[in-house]
Amino acid sequence: MPNPKRRHSKSRGAKRRTHYKATKPSTAECPNCHEHKLQHRACPNCGHYNGRSIMMPKE
Ligand SMILES: [Zn+2]
């Protein structure tokens, strides 16, 4: 198995990782209260999911 002869410097690894970017979580509009919420999650504003209330919203 071929192996690297020398380890890469810290700056070389950091330069490669400049392309790693954090992305925003995709949001969807709640059909009940029209707030932005995470997809496939109950709405934190009104506690609705799939057309019905499944939990009490946080005060
Ligand atoms: Zn909602």
Side-chain angles (χ1 to χ4, degrees), residues 2-3 5 11 13 15 21 27 31 33 37 42-44 46 56:
N3 265 322
K5 200 168 190 176
S11 83
K15 273 188 264 183
K21 294 284 181 353
T27 55
C33 67
K37 67 174 195 65
C43 176
C46 65
M56 294 308 290

Side-chain angles (χ1 to χ4, degrees), residues 2-56:
N3 265 322
K5 200 168 190 176
R6 311 286 303 176
R7 77 184 183 96
H8 290 173
S9 67
K10 285 177 185 176
S11 83
R12 184 169 164 168
K15 273 188 264 183
R16 183 177 63 247
R17 286 180 208 110
T18 59
H19 305 288
Y20 294 13
K21 294 284 181 353
T23 55
K24 281 182 181 175
S26 63
T27 55
E29 188 188 339
C30 174
N32 188 58
C33 67
H34 304 285
E35 284 281 325
H36 284 292
K37 67 174 195 65
L38 285 177
Q39 293 184 332
H40 309 115
R41 300 288 190 280
C43 176
N45 187 55
C46 65
H48 274 237
Y49 191 73
N50 203 225
R52 62 200 177 93
S53 175
I54 58 155
M55 65 173 197
M56 294 308 290

